[in-house]
Amino acid sequence: MQGPKEFPKMREIYGSLIFDHKEMKQRLPKDAYENLVAAMEGRQKLDSNIADTVALAMKDWAVNKGASHWAHWFHPLTELTAEKHTAFVTADENGFPLETFRGEDLMQSEPDASSFPSGGTRSTFEARGYSAWDPTSPAFIMKSPKGGTLCIPSVFLAYDGSPLDLKTYLLRSIDAVEGAALKILKLFGNRGVRYVRATVGGEQEFFLLDRPRAQKRTDVRFCGRTLIGSPPPRDQKMEDHYFGSIPTRVLAYMEDVQRDLARLGVDLATRHNEVARCQFEFAPNFSEANLACDQNQLIMETMRKMASQHDLRLLFHEKPFMDMNGSGKHINFSLKDSEGRNLLKPSSNHRKNVIFLSFLSSFVLGLSEYSGLLQASVSTPGNMYRLGGHEAPPSIVSVYLGQAIDKIIREIEEGNCGEDMPAKNTMDTGLSKLPNIIAFDSDRNRTSPVAFTGNKFEFRAPGASQAMAVPVTAVLSVWAAGLEKFISIFEDRINKGEDVIDAAFCTIREVSKLSKKIRFEGDAYSDEWHEEAKRRGIVKAHTIPEGIDLFVEPKTLEMLERLGVFKKNEMESFYVIRMESFVKNVEIEMSVLRDMIWEGVLPSLSKQIILEKESFLSAKDCGVEGMDEWKKHIAKLAKAKLDLMEKTKELVEMRERMSKLSLRKHADVLVEESVPLMAEIRKIADSIEIYLSAENMAYPNYRSLLSLSA
Ligand code: ADP
Ligand code: MG
């Protein structure tokens, strides 16, 4: 069927705004093309002699597509993206316009680094920083209403080479896990494998609200979430939203987003309603880890821009509404080899399944030792309200493997190792039937922060607003650490002359015993699990600041340094940035809440009290009797007003007092005192919300905010 003319077919526009292989091949001489492809695959560095040729081809392509500027596009530690645009056209000495873009512009650029957070790695007077092209992610054109910008994905470094961005750490963790994975495959005798790649697919949840209504709420505008407001009684209980038909207005938005992303080579595979009203999800097809993280940034950016064109307000906050489902960013990950084989995919071949179980148990081993790093990676301000709440995993990190795998692992644990090891016979615990069993059994447990879901792991705790780079760096580092330990045991056994498969079985057995405590197959939402987790000693942190502390746990630092992912001082700086961001976030919420109470709620209450009093007096004039209830009602409103005045005063004083505290203490006091005080204020404000007449309501309420009719 022919679609309407104004909407181009996806396959026609797909990738039209990325400088992809097709464009490169057409526009570059053979040797330049081959060198560039090798650099993109991470096999060798880009030869600086061909940089000019590549730059010229890229510029011609971009200018033809309407771009007037170029920019190095990078991820500073703020978790957003940054770019500084430079025009292609400059005037030459005779005043004639000249289009330039040199190899050195492509390879490196020097944005002023002084206003990006460094967490203390760099003094302010050493403001120089430079960004360098990361050819493993393709250059693309970011369209704007009147033109476009050629964006060059880059890393961002301080003058001394220390990273000022998230990508550098991510790339290092990718190297660590890919190197370890290749090593283990070689030990298994897979000589033909040339490389291994980490693959990642991130599911993005979000809320969409009617923009004019959302903009009337100071909290939504400045904090991305509601600080007051009570949920309508009916909401979510109907459970009619999930997988229901997508509202037409939202669908139109999604279609525009999908088309723009298709042009950038981002292929959004699924879209659907989520659990809560006005909540939705997009999931792209997975890709190599680095690209997946860049693409998630593009997804978020495109979604943001498109929302205002549709008069919608997009929320990535982890918990925009009280007592409703929050938004996460599930991170699916695996490894694939140079033959395209997914290393976490069970097979009907016994030997391949032993390899599969080695990769699986290595991750579980890494996790049992360094679960703190995963918890740290998701300890963000927004997750404070989401994790452990309605429909979100608890912050205690455990892994769910599913009945079939759990059973096999347990049987392997109980088997023998050594002289009389009957590995190949009795230890074939149904391994060859694995794919079929898993297909039936795959992941019915949605309560676990980490789960094996049939052919990949899924990390469900990351928040919707987070950049993927940090949690992906965490899972890949943990996996690399697990693989290294696995390899050391495995290699020892092979060196002692054991058969490779026997040695692998015994290693799986040994590491699974070591990592038992992190495996949990039950309901991770239950109170029993919290008790059990305490007994197992895997509860690492109770609050977000304590979670952030886990970044600098000595054994985690030692592991990250050993793998070459973070140096100790780099992690210490990153830690400071994370802690500061937490503090700033809560502080902003405190001041916005105070403003909303004084600007909106208290005046509404006064108006309502006057209205009630006037009508009370009129009724009294008419001789109505037995009006005690009415009187009490007015008194209740007045009492609420007084309480709110007192509590917000306390909040302001608290903020002033805290300004003298050290960063770490400040964070604790916010959690222990400010957050509970904000909750008390909210409780009072929400308790009187239902008594305010529609005209006296200062802000659109939940019912109105959660309605998408224009
Ligand atoms: P569900 O909601 O059941 O978790 P989805 O289909 O919404 O499943 O999302 C699954 C995500 O996992 C998709 O982004 C998908 O591309 C990704 N994925 C699938 N296989 C792999 C893999 N081998 N490595 C990384 N990500 C994967
Ligand atoms: Mg999922």
Side-chain angles (χ1 to χ4, degrees):
M1 210 171 67
Q2 181 108 33
K5 239 198 165 128
E6 62 271 36
F7 302 126
K9 293 193 189 71
M10 287 290 191
R11 67 161 188 272
E12 283 163 8
I13 55 174
Y14 189 79
S16 59
L17 294 178
I18 47 174
F19 193 64
D20 59 8
H21 281 265
K22 202 176 92 233
E23 291 296 338
M24 288 173 206
K25 202 162 187 173
Q26 266 172 20
R27 291 171 180 272
L28 291 171
K30 192 160 175 284
D31 58 333
Y33 171 73
E34 277 167 7
N35 183 240
L36 182 56
V37 170
M40 293 179 79
E41 288 176 358
R43 284 186 278 120
Q44 66 180 73
K45 291 224 179 309
L46 190 69
D47 183 346
S48 55
N49 296 328
I50 69 148
D52 277 328
T53 318
V54 176
L56 189 65
M58 223 185 240
K59 183 210 74 188
D60 285 346
W61 167 79
V63 170
N64 265 331
K65 298 264 179 193
S68 59
H69 288 66
W70 59 271
H72 278 223
W73 183 79
F74 53 91
H75 314 284
L77 298 164
T78 51
E79 305 228 348
L80 298 169
T81 56
E83 62 213 57
K84 179 181 154 198
H85 298 185
T86 309
F88 283 124
V89 173
T90 50
D92 69 7
E93 62 271 25
N94 302 318
F96 290 116
L98 190 72
E99 252 177 21
T100 59
F101 183 54
R102 299 158 307 170
E104 55 199 271
D105 296 331
L106 167 67
M107 305 287 278
Q108 200 163 308
S109 162
E110 290 198 22
D112 176 12
S114 58
S115 46
F116 292 108
S118 70
T121 36
R122 183 178 38 84
S123 341
T124 335
F125 63 89
E126 290 161 341
R128 276 175 303 146
Y130 66 92
S131 55
W133 183 30
D134 159 29
T136 62
S137 184
F140 59 91
I141 295 172
M142 192 53 105
K143 280 288 209 186
S144 42
K146 314 270 175 178
T149 305
L150 169 68
C151 294
I152 300 147
S154 302
V155 293
F156 183 37
L157 306 160
Y159 76 102
D160 63 352
S162 56
L164 292 169
D165 71 347
L166 299 172
K167 198 193 246 280
T168 309
Y169 299 116
L170 172 70
L171 292 172
R172 291 174 179 173
S173 72
I174 292 174
D175 274 354
V177 76
E178 291 180 349
L182 190 60
K183 201 158 160 192
I184 204 170
L185 286 177
K186 298 274 181 207
L187 286 175
F188 271 108
N190 293 13
R191 302 265 167 255
V193 180
R194 284 169 296 131
Y195 56 82
V196 176
R197 296 278 181 260
T199 54
V200 167
E203 300 160 53
Q204 178 69 56
E205 292 180 338
F206 55 96
F207 277 83
L208 280 173
L209 308 178
D210 177 60
R211 188 175 190 84
R213 265 178 292 214
Q215 292 301 83
K216 287 192 187 130
R217 298 219 25 152
T218 322
D219 46 5
V220 174
R221 275 177 60 205
F222 294 104
C223 311
R225 76 176 187 108
T226 60
L227 298 176
I228 53 174
S230 53
R234 185 177 158 276
D235 203 85
Q236 271 198 64
K237 302 211 171 75
M238 301 286 287
E239 288 178 356
D240 54 356
H241 190 63
Y242 195 58
F243 287 150
S245 73
I246 302 175
T248 320
R249 187 174 172 195
V250 173
L251 199 54
Y253 163 79
M254 287 178 156
E255 283 161 344
D256 275 347
V257 168
Q258 276 171 305
R259 258 190 295 274
D260 273 7
L261 285 168
R263 291 186 176 95
L264 294 169
V266 182
D267 139 34
L268 286 178
T270 61
R271 59 185 191 205
H272 61 80
N273 288 358
E274 258 303 328
V275 179
R277 203 161 287 282
C278 294
Q279 193 188 23
F280 308 91
E281 180 186 304
F282 267 137
N285 270 325
F286 69 93
S287 50
E288 288 181 13
N290 178 28
L291 189 59
C293 293
D294 278 357
Q295 290 193 337
N296 183 254
Q297 295 280 10
L298 283 177
I299 293 172
M300 292 170 77
E301 214 165 302
T302 307
M303 288 176 71
R304 258 188 226 112
K305 285 184 184 156
M306 193 58 77
S308 47
Q309 287 182 33
H310 283 250
D311 222 8
L312 291 165
R313 176 66 160 89
L314 173 69
L315 302 182
F316 283 131
H317 196 283
E318 284 70 18
K319 195 74 174 176
F321 298 98
M322 196 170 70
D323 286 348
M324 285 173 54
N325 207 65
S327 296
K329 173 139 51 198
H330 295 178
I331 293 182
N332 299 270
F333 59 98
S334 186
L335 288 165
K336 74 166 188 222
D337 68 14
S338 50
E339 309 299 305
R341 279 184 298 247
N342 176 354
L343 298 172
L344 284 180
K345 188 171 189 282
S347 146
S348 51
N349 173 300
H350 179 83
R351 185 172 172 280
K352 283 189 184 152
N353 276 338
V354 178
I355 299 178
F356 153 68
L357 285 178
S358 304
F359 278 99
L360 180 117
S361 54
S362 294
F363 175 70
V364 177
L365 174 68
L367 190 64
S368 79
E369 289 198 22
Y370 305 106
S371 63
L373 181 58
L374 260 67
Q375 182 160 357
S377 77
V378 299
S379 292
T380 60
N383 257 345
M384 172 158 63
Y385 300 101
R386 170 177 167 257
L387 293 183
H390 213 263
E391 293 279 322
S395 54
I396 306 165
V397 175
S398 67
V399 60
Y400 169 87
L401 295 179
Q403 224 180 5
I405 305 275
D406 186 58
K407 183 162 168 280
I408 288 172
I409 297 273
R410 276 189 284 117
E411 283 177 27
I412 294 176
E413 274 171 15
E414 282 154 20
N416 294 319
C417 272
E419 297 280 290
D420 54 344
M421 201 196 79
K424 277 166 246 161
N425 310 317
T426 51
M427 273 204 191
D428 186 355
T429 51
L431 272 188
S432 49
K433 295 187 214 83
L434 211 48
N436 299 336
I437 323 174
I438 289 179
F440 274 114
D441 178 54
S442 180
D443 184 35
R444 278 191 227 102
N445 183 336
R446 299 225 142 226
T447 66
S448 185
V450 187
F452 177 70
T453 55
N455 57 5
K456 58 186 159 46
F457 277 107
E458 180 172 355
F459 184 23
R460 296 179 175 134
S465 72
Q466 282 192 259
M468 295 215 306
V470 179
V472 172
T473 302
V475 292
L476 297 184
S477 302
V478 159
W479 204 353
L483 281 165
E484 296 222 316
K485 185 151 181 184
F486 189 103
I487 288 168
S488 71
I489 304 173
F490 188 33
E491 216 169 14
D492 260 5
R493 289 185 170 273
I494 294 174
N495 290 343
K496 280 188 201 135
E498 277 182 32
D499 166 81
V500 170
I501 297 296
D502 284 356
F505 258 124
C506 289
T507 312
I508 295 169
R509 178 172 180 267
E510 207 169 309
V511 306
S512 298
K513 281 185 167 173
L514 288 174
S515 51
K516 238 185 163 89
K517 63 174 187 204
I518 208 77
R519 277 159 33 210
F520 178 63
E521 296 294 304
D523 176 4
Y525 291 169
S526 68
D527 294 339
E528 294 82 56
W529 168 236
H530 286 245
E531 288 308 311
E532 168 69 19
K534 261 188 234 154
R535 274 196 296 277
R536 292 190 189 187
I538 59 168
V539 180
K540 296 268 180 180
H542 301 90
T543 64
I544 297 294
E546 283 177 22
I548 300 172
D549 286 343
L550 296 172
F551 273 126
V552 288
E553 250 193 322
K555 71 178 207 179
T556 300
L557 283 179
E558 184 274 320
M559 177 270 279
L560 291 169
E561 196 143 26
R562 179 162 39 85
L563 294 176
V565 178
F566 273 91
K567 294 197 192 91
K568 187 161 174 273
N569 68 324
E570 291 170 350
M571 181 48 103
E572 281 163 354
S573 313
F574 184 60
Y575 165 84
V576 171
I577 290 171
R578 272 295 176 97
M579 198 63 84
E580 277 174 355
S581 139
F582 174 78
V583 166
K584 275 187 209 146
N585 221 282
V586 182
E587 290 231 308
I588 291 173
E589 293 195 344
M590 285 166 80
S591 75
V592 168
L593 179 61
R594 186 254 161 227
D595 290 351
M596 286 178 82
I597 298 293
W598 279 85
E599 284 168 10
V601 179
L602 293 178
S604 313
L605 262 171
S606 296
K607 281 190 244 164
Q608 191 68 28
I609 290 169
I610 293 169
L611 181 76
E612 297 293 348
K613 189 189 145 215
E614 281 172 359
S615 51
F616 175 86
L617 292 177
S618 310
K620 203 168 161 202
D621 277 354
C622 299
V624 179
E625 286 183 8
M627 296 204 298
D628 279 2
E629 201 52 44
W630 199 335
K631 233 179 175 163
K632 271 194 237 157
H633 178 63
I634 298 174
K636 186 153 110 191
L637 296 181
K639 171 83 171 60
K641 175 158 177 142
L642 274 172
D643 287 348
L644 283 174
M645 289 164 78
E646 250 171 52
K647 297 277 177 202
T648 43
K649 189 164 163 251
E650 221 180 289
L651 196 68
V652 173
E653 287 167 358
M654 188 182 275
R655 252 197 95 177
E656 280 161 13
R657 233 181 23 246
M658 284 188 309
S659 62
K660 296 177 193 75
L661 298 174
S662 69
L663 177 64
R664 186 62 190 83
K665 181 76 191 143
H666 194 164
D668 271 345
V669 176
L670 287 173
V671 173
E672 286 155 17
E673 298 179 27
S674 312
V675 172
L677 182 57
M678 282 163 61
E680 273 181 60
I681 294 173
R682 173 175 203 150
K683 202 163 167 203
I684 305 168
D686 291 0
S687 71
I688 47 97
E689 192 189 279
I690 49 167
Y691 303 121
L692 298 177
S693 70
E695 316 73 84
N696 286 342
M697 193 92 75
Y699 304 104
N701 62 12
Y702 268 31
R703 198 172 43 221
S704 154
L705 263 184
L706 291 162
S707 148
L708 272 167
S709 49

